[in-house]
Amino acid sequence: MDYQKKYDQWVKHEYFDEKIREELLEIKENYEEIEDRFYKDLEFGTAGLRGKIGAGTNRMNVYIIARATQGLADFIVKKGKAYMNRGVVIAYDSRHFSKEFAKKAALVLAGNHVKAYLFEDLRPTPELSFAVRRLSTASGIVITASHNPREYNGYKVYWEEGSQILEDVASAITENIKLIEDFSIIKEMDEEEAIQKGLLEIIGKDMDDEYIEKVKGLSLREDIDKEINIVYTPLNGTGNIPVRRVLKERGFKNVTVVPEQEKPDPDFTTVGYPNPEDVKAFKYAQNLGKKIHADLLIATDPDCDRLAAMIKNEKDEYIALNGNQTGALFIQYILEAKEENKTLKENSYIVKSIVTGDLGKTIAKDYGVKTYEALTGFKNICGIVNEFEKSGNHDFVFGYEESIGYVAGTFVRDKDAVISSMLLCEAAAYYKKQGKTLLDVLEEVYKKHGYYQEKLISLVLEGIEGKNRIDRMMKIYRDTYPTEIGDSKLAKYIDYQKQVSFDFLKEKEELIDIPVSNVLKFIFDDGSWYAVRPSGTEPKIKIYLYTKGDTLEISQEKIKNMEKIIMKRLEEIE
């Protein structure tokens, strides 16, 4: 069916409500907008759904939520009564329509006689992961678009281990969704009836209490400076209550929240793009930090699964840490503490993504801890933890990726900014008691292991043309790429889509044991490397640059040369 016919169907079919109809009639002569809303169905992948809010098949709305949930319910029903009774737990963030989408999902599940547990109010995404494991549900859903702009919302699905679904489950759900051509066949139960029949249960405080106790149990040291001055911004999202609570219960006495960004705000009025990875998100936190002379600024994204930080230097300036640097500091602090506490084991390991830098891996090796690599995304990072849990002879310590996502412990199987906030504040407070900042510790790490530098470049290419250009870039770059950058020569080329690695020095091709993904990685003879991949959740192509040098200046110069050559080649592809 072409996009105009789909549009006409949505306008005329009595199943769709009057508001949807009015919204669509407003664009009846805007054929470009109609095409964008209906040229495809919003794709359900291993990251679930994510898109702009609005009417249409390529938008987030209650009908698309209902159809996705029917697809999930059909998958669970096929697994049998035991899975249906175990049910699905649902959480949601502070975005527009999150509550409505969450309730719609719950009532569709109930309509299919699959039990739904719905959080009473906003909750951080990692608590959803915890609740899946704690309640032993078959699945979990969280309504969030993470750090996307306010126009977006999303729908992420978790499986029984508490981690996001992998390709096998996602494919099965996708096939079920494709079979639903008529929205009116979707089953749904009235809320009151669902509660009476025990198919909808509201959860809240008890789950919060258990989760917070587990987070506090990850604390490593008590000999810390609990007077450390911290500014925290939840960026108008779900982190405000749990992060403040865990820091207070850990004894931190000087935690000040940015007042303008404390309460939920679906429009993210003060920040626009609520991504703490972007230093602009720290504007209000920096202003407050300067007023009260804060040592540390921390920010969590709207669904509180990612954490960013800025540290005050000796000039009273706030310096932003990127995800690689923060991850390396976590590994240094955790392994150092575990070695002192004699809780580091022979089978301890960490996990990082293939596009995350190697400094954390180098630190881990220094402590005799093995590093495993996974495809991008915590579904893959925690997928390794899930596999090793079955054998029972591996000790998971820490998982992270460069996009400011981190997790410790095994009770959450996703990135967790509540855990990360507590551990980063603890690390900063520990080193402060020793007369050092996290910047001082990072410099010590560099001096010991080499100056690792990194840069992420994101080319935003929206709409149909943007998607097509990203596809062309990946296709052409796969075969025509630079083999020299300055004095550095290409040593190894890895194509994760073809699952092959070619060693230029040995002139040898090998298969790699990592699942298929549209990622290219280029490693040079001086240890520098870069990777190119399309984003799985946003209209972007991402380029990850990494260098290592004996000095900061050498490493930074390598980054500049790498960026210049790679970007020139990519931008030539129209």
Side-chain angles (χ1 to χ4, degrees):
M1 190 186 300
D2 67 30
Y3 66 85
Q4 188 64 50
K5 285 182 180 176
K6 284 185 181 179
Y7 169 82
D8 293 339
Q9 185 186 67
W10 276 56
V11 169
K12 295 172 184 174
H13 200 301
E14 61 181 16
Y15 179 74
F16 300 102
D17 65 48
E18 197 57 39
K19 282 186 180 178
I20 288 284
R21 211 168 277 117
E22 288 172 5
E23 182 182 335
L24 291 174
L25 286 172
E26 285 177 7
I27 62 165
K28 65 182 178 181
E29 294 179 1
N30 187 340
Y31 301 111
E32 189 177 325
E33 179 68 12
I34 291 171
E35 181 181 13
D36 188 54
R37 288 177 181 238
F38 288 95
Y39 83 96
K40 67 173 185 175
D41 287 356
L42 197 62
E43 293 173 7
F44 186 94
T46 55
L49 299 166
R50 192 177 296 188
K52 289 181 179 178
I53 298 165
T57 59
N58 189 31
R59 292 289 187 271
M60 287 291 294
N61 51 68
V62 290
Y63 302 104
I64 298 303
I65 292 291
R67 185 173 66 179
T69 308
Q70 184 65 54
L72 171 62
D74 290 340
F75 180 71
I76 291 172
V77 169
K78 284 175 190 173
K79 286 201 161 280
K81 195 71 176 171
Y83 272 76
M84 293 167 67
N85 291 341
R86 286 170 65 188
V88 180
V89 59
I90 306 167
Y92 59 94
D93 71 4
S94 58
R95 288 178 177 271
H96 286 294
F97 299 105
S98 284
K99 187 173 185 177
E100 291 87 340
F101 291 171
K103 186 169 283 188
K104 174 65 76 173
L107 298 180
V108 170
L109 289 166
N112 287 272
H113 300 283
V114 176
K115 177 156 186 175
Y117 297 88
L118 178 63
F119 272 101
E120 62 187 0
D121 203 347
L122 314 179
R123 289 300 187 278
T125 289
E127 188 173 346
L128 181 279
S129 172
F130 172 75
V132 170
R133 294 180 64 80
R134 174 63 185 82
L135 296 169
S136 296
T137 60
S139 180
I141 298 168
V142 62
I143 307 296
T144 180
S146 187
H147 56 280
N148 283 66
R150 66 180 183 175
E151 298 86 4
Y152 285 76
N153 212 329
Y155 176 102
K156 290 198 292 190
V157 179
Y158 291 69
W159 200 235
E160 56 191 333
E161 304 92 345
S163 50
Q164 291 178 51
I165 54 172
L166 294 173
E167 190 62 43
D168 57 340
V169 176
S171 296
I173 295 171
T174 300
E175 289 308 308
N176 290 341
I177 292 169
K178 286 178 180 176
L179 295 173
I180 305 167
E181 294 182 357
D182 181 354
F183 284 84
S184 64
I185 69 168
I186 294 169
K187 299 168 188 171
E188 187 175 338
M189 187 177 285
D190 174 76
E191 183 177 355
E192 190 175 324
E193 182 185 355
I195 291 171
Q196 286 176 352
K197 289 185 173 179
L199 287 167
L200 174 59
E201 184 176 329
I202 306 301
I203 58 173
K205 184 181 181 303
D206 289 346
M207 191 66 65
D208 300 340
D209 293 345
E210 289 190 46
Y211 169 65
I212 292 295
E213 283 304 310
K214 286 283 192 182
V215 175
K216 290 191 297 182
L218 294 172
S219 173
L220 291 161
R221 286 182 166 121
E222 279 302 320
D223 54 333
I224 62 176
D225 184 352
K226 291 182 179 178
E227 301 290 338
I228 188 170
N229 199 348
I230 301 163
V231 164
Y232 168 54
T233 173
L235 295 178
N236 304 112
T238 61
N240 181 43
I241 292 172
V243 171
R244 290 171 73 178
R245 177 179 171 182
V246 80
L247 293 179
K248 181 179 180 182
E249 292 185 15
R250 278 289 291 121
F252 289 99
K253 296 177 172 58
N254 295 311
V255 179
T256 307
V257 178
V258 175
E260 301 90 341
Q261 296 171 337
E262 177 181 358
K263 302 296 183 186
D265 174 11
D267 290 317
F268 307 109
T269 312
T270 61
V271 67
Y273 178 42
N275 183 359
E277 210 171 0
D278 185 342
V279 74
K280 290 193 286 290
F282 277 90
K283 180 182 176 182
Y284 282 77
Q286 286 190 75
N287 291 339
L288 179 57
K290 287 172 185 174
K291 282 181 187 174
I292 67 172
H293 308 290
D295 302 297
L296 170 67
L297 315 178
I298 59 171
T300 55
D301 65 344
D303 68 324
C304 196
D305 63 355
R306 304 193 318 145
L307 169 79
M310 297 188 79
I311 316 298
K312 186 167 74 173
N313 67 10
E314 68 279 356
K315 297 177 183 176
D316 286 341
E317 301 166 327
Y318 288 106
I319 307 299
L321 297 175
N322 63 41
N324 287 290
Q325 293 169 328
T326 307
L329 285 167
F330 271 127
I331 292 165
Q332 178 62 40
Y333 175 71
I334 291 169
L335 298 187
E336 179 186 340
K338 280 183 166 288
E339 188 173 72
E340 287 175 12
N341 298 341
K342 301 193 186 319
T343 56
L344 200 57
K345 300 175 183 176
E346 285 186 13
N347 57 5
S348 292
Y349 70 98
I350 66 169
V351 185
K352 74 176 190 71
S353 77
I354 59 172
V355 295
T356 297
D358 292 331
L359 180 54
K361 182 178 180 178
T362 304
I363 295 167
K365 186 178 180 182
D366 195 43
Y367 282 91
V369 172
K370 188 164 184 178
T371 300
Y372 292 91
E373 296 199 358
L375 292 177
T376 308
F378 262 73
K379 61 183 178 288
N380 297 306
I381 288 170
C382 290
I384 289 179
V385 182
N386 294 339
E387 284 302 309
F388 283 155
E389 186 176 58
K390 294 172 186 174
S391 64
N393 61 350
H394 292 78
D395 175 49
F396 174 68
V397 174
F398 187 70
Y400 76 116
E401 57 185 4
E402 45 67 46
S403 55
I404 63 172
Y406 322 96
V407 72
T410 57
F411 56 89
V412 167
R413 296 295 164 91
D414 203 355
K415 50 191 178 290
D416 188 331
V418 182
I419 291 173
S420 320
S421 295
M422 185 196 76
L423 285 175
L424 192 69
C425 291
E426 183 181 298
Y430 171 73
Y431 292 122
K432 185 180 181 185
K433 197 168 184 180
Q434 295 184 333
K436 295 187 285 191
T437 69
L438 290 174
L439 294 173
D440 296 328
V441 178
L442 187 61
E443 181 63 23
E444 289 175 1
V445 168
Y446 284 149
K447 283 180 178 175
K448 181 174 182 179
H449 298 292
Y451 284 81
Y452 288 75
Q453 290 293 290
E454 50 272 321
K455 184 171 184 178
L456 170 62
I457 302 166
S458 295
L459 291 179
V460 178
L461 299 165
E462 294 186 309
I464 306 167
E465 282 306 311
K467 181 183 182 302
N468 291 339
R469 189 178 174 203
I470 289 171
D471 291 343
R472 287 194 300 274
M473 282 178 162
M474 291 302 296
K475 183 179 180 182
I476 294 170
Y477 202 88
R478 189 165 250 111
D479 298 317
T480 55
Y481 44 82
T483 56
E484 292 185 7
I485 295 179
D487 296 330
S488 306
K489 291 182 171 52
L490 188 61
K492 185 178 284 189
Y493 164 44
I494 305 172
D495 186 335
Y496 290 91
Q497 186 156 287
K498 296 179 180 177
Q499 292 183 299
V500 294
S501 170
F502 186 77
D503 190 319
F504 283 85
L505 302 178
K506 297 178 182 176
E507 296 187 349
K508 184 180 178 183
E509 186 174 282
E510 294 179 338
L511 296 176
I512 57 170
D513 187 24
I514 287 183
V516 172
S517 185
N518 192 12
V519 184
L520 305 173
K521 191 170 182 177
F522 303 86
I523 303 166
F524 290 81
D525 56 5
D526 64 349
S528 302
W529 61 273
Y530 71 97
V532 183
R533 63 178 279 266
S535 170
T537 55
E538 299 172 279
K540 294 177 178 179
I541 186 168
K542 293 185 170 185
I543 303 94
Y544 305 79
L545 309 177
Y546 291 96
T547 60
K548 179 187 174 185
D550 293 333
T551 67
L552 181 62
E553 293 72 24
I554 290 172
S555 200
Q556 288 176 335
E557 188 62 30
K558 286 182 179 181
I559 286 270
K560 287 179 187 175
N561 291 337
M562 192 182 278
E563 179 180 359
K564 183 178 177 182
I565 290 169
I566 295 162
M567 296 311 295
K568 181 176 183 294
R569 178 69 194 102
L570 278 170
E571 287 165 0
E572 287 171 351
I573 304 171
E574 291 296 333

Coordinates of all heavy atoms in Angstrom, one line a residue, residues 118 131 216 239 329 340 342 374 404 416 451 497 547 554:
L118 N 2.3 -2.3 36.1 CA 2.5 -1.0 35.7 C 3.0 -0.1 36.8 O 2.4 -0.1 37.9 CB 1.2 -0.4 35.1 CG 1.3 1.1 34.6 CD1 2.2 1.2 33.4 CD2 -0.1 1.5 34.2
A131 N 13.2 -4.6 38.0 CA 11.8 -5.2 38.3 C 11.6 -6.4 37.4 O 10.9 -7.4 37.9 CB 10.8 -4.1 38.0
K216 N 22.9 0.6 46.8 CA 23.8 1.0 47.9 C 24.8 -0.1 48.3 O 25.9 0.1 48.7 CB 23.0 1.4 49.2 CG 22.3 2.7 49.1 CD 21.7 3.2 50.4 CE 20.7 2.2 50.9 NZ 20.0 2.7 52.2
G239 N 15.4 10.9 36.9 CA 16.5 10.6 37.9 C 16.4 11.3 39.2 O 17.0 11.0 40.2
L329 N 37.9 5.9 34.5 CA 38.0 6.3 35.9 C 37.2 5.3 36.7 O 37.7 4.9 37.8 CB 37.5 7.7 36.1 CG 38.4 8.8 35.6 CD1 37.7 10.2 35.6 CD2 39.7 8.9 36.6
E340 N 42.1 -3.8 47.0 CA 42.4 -3.5 48.4 C 41.5 -4.3 49.3 O 41.9 -4.8 50.4 CB 42.2 -2.0 48.6 CG 43.3 -1.1 48.1 CD 43.0 0.3 48.2 OE1 42.0 0.7 49.0 OE2 43.7 1.2 47.6
K342 N 40.2 -7.1 48.7 CA 40.4 -8.5 48.4 C 39.2 -9.2 47.8 O 38.8 -10.3 48.2 CB 41.0 -9.3 49.6 CG 42.3 -8.7 50.1 CD 42.9 -9.6 51.2 CE 44.2 -9.0 51.8 NZ 45.1 -8.3 50.9
A374 N 31.7 -6.4 22.9 CA 30.4 -6.7 22.3 C 30.0 -5.6 21.3 O 30.6 -4.5 21.3 CB 29.3 -6.7 23.4
I404 N 28.4 7.3 27.3 CA 28.1 7.6 28.7 C 27.2 6.6 29.4 O 26.4 7.0 30.3 CB 27.7 9.0 29.0 CG1 26.4 9.4 28.3 CG2 28.9 10.0 28.6 CD1 25.9 10.8 28.7
D416 N 22.9 2.0 33.9 CA 22.2 2.5 35.1 C 22.9 3.7 35.6 O 24.0 3.7 36.2 CB 22.2 1.4 36.1 CG 21.3 1.7 37.3 OD1 21.2 2.9 37.6 OD2 20.8 0.7 37.9
Y451 N 48.7 8.4 26.6 CA 47.7 9.4 26.4 C 46.7 9.0 25.3 O 46.9 9.1 24.1 CB 48.3 10.8 26.1 CG 48.9 11.5 27.3 CD1 50.2 11.1 27.7 CD2 48.2 12.4 28.0 CE1 50.7 11.7 28.9 CE2 48.7 13.0 29.2 CZ 50.0 12.6 29.6 OH 50.5 13.2 30.7
Q497 N 29.7 -6.5 9.4 CA 28.6 -7.0 8.6 C 28.9 -8.2 7.8 O 28.1 -9.2 7.8 CB 28.1 -5.9 7.6 CG 26.8 -6.3 6.9 CD 26.1 -5.1 6.4 OE1 25.5 -4.3 7.2 NE2 26.1 -4.8 5.1
T547 N 43.1 7.7 19.3 CA 44.5 7.7 19.1 C 45.2 7.5 20.4 O 44.6 7.6 21.5 CB 45.0 9.1 18.5 OG1 44.7 10.1 19.4 CG2 44.4 9.3 17.2
I554 N 50.7 15.0 21.0 CA 50.9 14.0 19.9 C 49.6 13.3 19.6 O 49.2 13.2 18.4 CB 52.0 13.0 20.2 CG1 53.4 13.6 20.2 CG2 52.0 11.8 19.3 CD1 54.5 12.7 20.8

